[in-house]
Amino acid sequence: ILKGVTEKNFIVIEDRKEAIKKSFECSSIGDVIVVAGKGSEPYIDELGVKTPYLDADEIMKLGEIDD
């Protein structure tokens, strides 16, 4: 993906939780945040180790912080 990026104003955050959190911190009312790429499996597989994880859970936690 990075090879095709022509815009110079971006950051790369490899940790999904941190990337989602940063997107919320940088967004304003009316912005759209797209969380894509992982798929629907309920875990993250790192070197064969499956850790329970859902993007939706992280997004809901961030929404609760703002309430």
Side-chain angles (χ1 to χ4, degrees):
I1 292 174
L2 289 176
K3 289 180 184 178
V5 174
T6 57
E7 174 65 38
K8 301 293 184 201
N9 186 18
F10 68 91
I11 59 173
V12 175
I13 302 172
E14 294 189 20
D15 181 271
R16 290 188 74 82
K17 288 181 184 181
E18 289 301 314
I20 291 170
K21 182 178 178 184
K22 184 69 172 176
S23 70
F24 271 69
E25 292 170 354
C26 294
S27 67
S28 300
I29 292 175
D31 287 351
V32 175
I33 298 171
V34 176
V35 179
K38 181 182 158 298
S40 61
E41 62 276 349
Y43 55 85
I44 291 180
D45 186 339
E46 295 178 298
L47 302 173
V49 177
K50 294 180 180 177
T51 304
Y53 175 85
L54 287 172
D55 287 330
D57 291 343
E58 295 305 313
I59 293 166
M60 294 300 289
K61 288 178 192 173
L62 290 168
E64 292 171 6
I65 293 171
D66 291 339
D67 287 346

